Amino acid sequence: MKILFHALALPLAFHLLSLAHAIPSPEAAHGGSSQATNTTDDAMTITPRQSSCLSTGTQSTINALFSSGGANTIVSLCPGVTIPITAPIVFTAPGQELSTQGYPTDSTRATILIQPGSTVTSAIRGNWQNNVKVLNIQVDGNRPNAGYLGGDALLEMGGGTEGQTVSHTVVKNTRSWSCVHFIGSGQEDNPCRQATVTFNEVGPCGHEGTDSATGNGLWADGLSIECMDTMVTDNTITGATDGGIVIFGSPGSQFLRNTIISSSSSGLQFGGINMVDPTWSGNYSGVVVSANTITGGPGSFINLGIGMGSQVWSNPHPETNFGQVTVTNNVFTGNVGFSIVMNGWLGGLTVTGNSVSGVTTPSSSFASASGCGAVQQAAFADSKQLVYYPAGVTGSSGPNVIQAQFTALSTNASNWLCLTNPAPPLPDTESFLPNTLSVDASTSRVVSLRDFHVQVQGDGNVVGIDTTGGVWTVKWASSRFSSACGPDGSQCLLAFGIDGNFVMYDGNGPLWASGTDGSGQLLTFLREAPWVTVTGGNGQTLWTIGNL
Ligand SMILES: *[C@@H]1O[C@H](CO)[C@@H](O)[C@H](O)[C@H]1NC(C)=O
Ligand SMILES: *[C@@H]1O[C@H](CO)[C@@H](O)[C@H](O)[C@H]1NC(C)=O
Ligand SMILES: *[C@@H]1O[C@H](CO)[C@@H](O)[C@H](O)[C@H]1NC(C)=O
């Protein structure tokens, strides 16, 4: 119970007292009961005197307490309460803390909830204050009800600070691009540093796809960290859709024992842990990524488990990422397209002991590489999980130590963020009611069935082709040719008319017909004989392509 111990290190009595004074009716707030200071059987666990907690209010109530309380003020929310907000909660002095009374780790953690109709995306702003803490609460961006909105992250921490903490906190449903962001300071002599991000439950964050109105990506990160010498450990990130943890440079930071899982409710997740951005001039010196578990969950997948280097994301950049980094003993399971890809790194890597034996194979059972380059497609077809381009991974400040299972690419391939959901399987048959099929030879495709394709050609011929294995074999043809299809083929029209007649027209009129006018009810294409049928009201076959 490290957190309680930390809390005790603060001048608790004074600040809880001042909080009590700030609340109009402390008795109503906590039901009049008061827990005496005492030790429990766990010598490390000391329950502080809880004179009061905040049982009702909005961001204004909390912000007023922080403003009047000054440094080290603790705003302690009562267990179970929900604080609706329409603007951010802002830390105003060093050492301030927002937490739930008694530091619970279950669903009784107090909830900060963004209200629908508001334009706020950041529920909490660390606001460049040293040593501020967000502990044991729930922060809900309420995206399902408040809606997607571009803007700052749900928790916006960091800046030129040291010692900020976000622990044992639930952060979910961000409206914007990230659930938790530790922003950099842009100041070399005053970087974001020594933060602690531990034991949080993050996600869902974002959705697959783009906003139809704005074209903006709906996806979002779980944790976006641009803070050096920081500990990011023991977090569980479920249903992030951009990167589970995005490391923006952040020299000296450690990312340990985190669990990252994609979720079918939020959809495709791009990355598990990203080391791809050129932030901090690409400086990742001393970063450690170890003992994390990255799982592509059922009904979803993670495209890239750990991406390392300037060349692996969808936006390759010319600067090479650098730094001696350690990526060890991470475990990849389930639907992960590529577990670790490295290209665009300088400085000596230790990448060992990473396990991919639990990844689903073949990769084509959960994703498609049809939008990828040739090198990526080949690696995907072979379910290659650990790949790197040796010429793009060079060590200047130490040798690279890379585990033997890595496949060395002979070609410089960029953009491994290219997997998509597999296309749904094609049907074995496709049927049309009268007046629902009309295709001319300028469009050509009549139907696509599983390993089968029917097309109308610019010479008036209608052809059924087996495409199994990419080899095209003609299985049937109408073999009634026309020279009156027009220059672009649009005069040759295949239609199942409103009268139930299946007719091929050219520029001169009907070329052939099924003769089922008045009786044809359904036109069906099949991937096997009899290939094309027109059936009547009782399902009886009236005509097949063989009758032509
Ligand atoms: C602390 O707990 C012990 C054992 O449960 C009890 O005897 C004692 O009265 C308690 N002290 C206070 C101040 O509540
Ligand atoms: C990378 O960052 C580390 C830590 O701040 C620093 O010591 C080192 O000088 C940086 N390297 C370069 C090339 O900027
Ligand atoms: C790989 O290709 C990228 C993009 O063209 C280029 O910037 C990079 O230098 C290449 N890497 C190597 C090792 O040639």
Side-chain angles (χ1 to χ4, degrees):
M1 297 308 287
K2 203 170 164 208
I3 297 309
L4 287 181
F5 193 67
H6 278 186
L8 269 189
L10 297 170
L12 255 189
F14 173 77
H15 289 286
L16 286 173
L17 198 62
S18 67
L19 173 55
H21 287 163
I23 297 174
S25 174
E27 283 71 27
H30 62 84
S33 70
S34 176
Q35 231 181 317
T37 299
N38 213 330
T39 50
T40 68
D41 13 354
D42 178 354
M44 291 295 284
T45 305
I46 301 169
T47 307
R49 175 178 293 277
Q50 301 288 0
S51 353
S52 182
C53 60
L54 187 67
S55 66
T56 181
T58 67
Q59 76 279 351
S60 308
T61 326
I62 294 171
N63 286 340
L65 292 169
F66 279 141
S67 291
S68 62
N72 301 320
T73 297
I74 296 174
V75 173
S76 185
L77 306 173
C78 296
V81 305
T82 294
I83 305 289
I85 63 164
T86 54
I89 292 166
V90 182
F91 290 108
T92 55
Q96 294 183 335
E97 172 185 315
L98 181 63
S99 54
T100 304
Q101 184 185 57
Y103 302 97
T105 55
D106 59 12
S107 63
T108 65
R109 280 173 282 192
T111 299
I112 308 292
L113 182 67
I114 288 182
Q115 291 303 287
S118 67
T119 56
V120 62
T121 60
S122 292
I124 298 176
R125 289 189 172 278
N127 221 34
W128 287 55
Q129 298 295 342
N130 287 337
N131 299 309
V132 296
K133 296 178 178 62
V134 177
L135 304 177
N136 302 74
I137 62 170
Q138 306 188 60
V139 184
D140 188 344
N142 205 7
R143 186 193 276 222
N145 302 303
Y148 160 81
L149 191 63
D152 288 343
L154 186 52
L155 246 68
E156 195 60 61
M157 306 292 288
T161 63
E162 63 183 15
Q164 294 193 347
T165 303
V166 177
S167 283
H168 289 108
T169 288
V170 174
V171 189
K172 62 186 178 185
N173 299 324
T174 180
R175 302 180 72 179
S176 67
W177 69 279
S178 178
C179 274
V180 180
H181 182 207
F182 274 76
I183 196 170
S185 68
Q187 301 173 356
E188 245 171 67
D189 55 349
N190 182 30
C192 179
R193 59 200 181 275
Q194 288 145 10
T196 302
V197 184
T198 53
F199 297 102
N200 299 292
E201 293 153 48
V202 178
C205 308
H207 288 102
E208 191 174 346
T210 51
D211 181 39
S212 51
T214 60
N216 293 334
L218 294 174
W219 48 83
D221 295 342
L223 303 175
S224 314
I225 307 292
E226 187 182 341
C227 201
M228 67 183 294
D229 298 335
T230 283
M231 295 302 290
V232 179
T233 77
D234 306 287
N235 301 286
T236 298
I237 299 147
T238 308
T241 44
D242 197 340
I245 300 177
V246 179
I247 308 175
F248 291 102
S250 308
S253 291
Q254 304 203 14
F255 301 82
L256 313 177
R257 300 180 304 276
N258 299 288
T259 301
I260 298 169
I261 312 170
S262 68
S263 155
S264 61
S265 61
S266 41
L268 160 63
Q269 177 169 338
F270 293 140
I273 299 180
N274 297 8
M275 306 168 74
V276 298
D277 288 279
T279 330
W280 224 293
S281 306
N283 189 348
Y284 287 74
S285 300
V287 166
V288 178
V289 175
S290 285
N292 301 284
T293 301
I294 298 178
T295 301
S300 65
F301 71 92
I302 297 179
N303 184 142
L304 190 49
I306 299 182
M308 300 174 61
S310 58
Q311 298 302 313
V312 305
W313 206 246
S314 55
N315 57 337
H317 50 89
E319 312 89 338
T320 301
N321 292 357
F322 66 93
Q324 287 185 297
V325 301
T326 303
V327 177
T328 52
N329 302 323
N330 299 288
V331 176
F332 302 84
T333 64
N335 300 339
V336 180
F338 302 109
S339 289
I340 303 181
V341 179
M342 306 190 290
N343 187 3
W345 204 283
L346 171 70
L349 299 175
T350 300
V351 182
T352 56
N354 299 288
S355 163
V356 299
S357 59
V359 171
T360 308
T361 54
S363 305
S364 57
S365 64
F366 59 83
S368 165
S370 60
C372 297
V375 176
Q376 293 88 335
Q377 287 203 14
F380 183 81
D382 268 0
S383 296
K384 292 276 193 265
Q385 286 292 322
L386 303 171
V387 293
Y388 77 122
Y389 178 52
V393 180
T394 48
S396 77
S397 48
N400 293 315
V401 182
I402 295 173
Q403 71 190 85
Q405 289 105 315
F406 267 83
T407 297
L409 302 169
S410 54
T411 310
N412 182 4
S414 297
N415 185 7
W416 292 75
L417 199 76
C418 55
L419 301 181
T420 55
N421 287 305
L426 292 170
D428 285 1
T429 68
E430 191 168 348
S431 295
F432 298 87
L433 293 168
N435 207 28
T436 61
L437 176 73
S438 171
V439 181
D440 67 45
S442 70
T443 303
S444 184
R445 188 184 72 90
V446 182
V447 292
S448 295
L449 306 175
R450 178 167 60 90
D451 297 326
F452 204 88
H453 178 78
V454 179
Q455 64 186 27
V456 50
Q457 301 177 169
D459 60 0
N461 201 8
V462 184
V463 186
I465 303 158
D466 186 306
T467 59
T468 304
V471 179
W472 284 38
T473 310
V474 174
K475 290 294 188 178
W476 59 264
S478 64
S479 299
R480 303 287 179 88
F481 299 93
S482 169
S483 54
C485 289
D488 65 350
S490 61
Q491 299 295 301
C492 278
L493 177 75
L494 187 67
F496 190 41
I498 195 163
D499 60 354
N501 203 10
F502 182 39
V503 187
M504 180 74 210
Y505 301 90
D506 70 2
N508 300 321
L511 190 62
W512 55 261
S514 64
T516 50
D517 40 314
S519 57
Q521 300 281 328
L522 198 67
L523 168 70
T524 300
F525 293 90
L526 305 90
R527 58 188 301 278
E528 54 193 18
W531 311 114
V532 188
T533 62
V534 175
T535 48
N538 300 323
Q540 75 277 30
T541 301
L542 302 174
W543 178 89
T544 77
I545 193 73
N547 296 130
L548 191 61

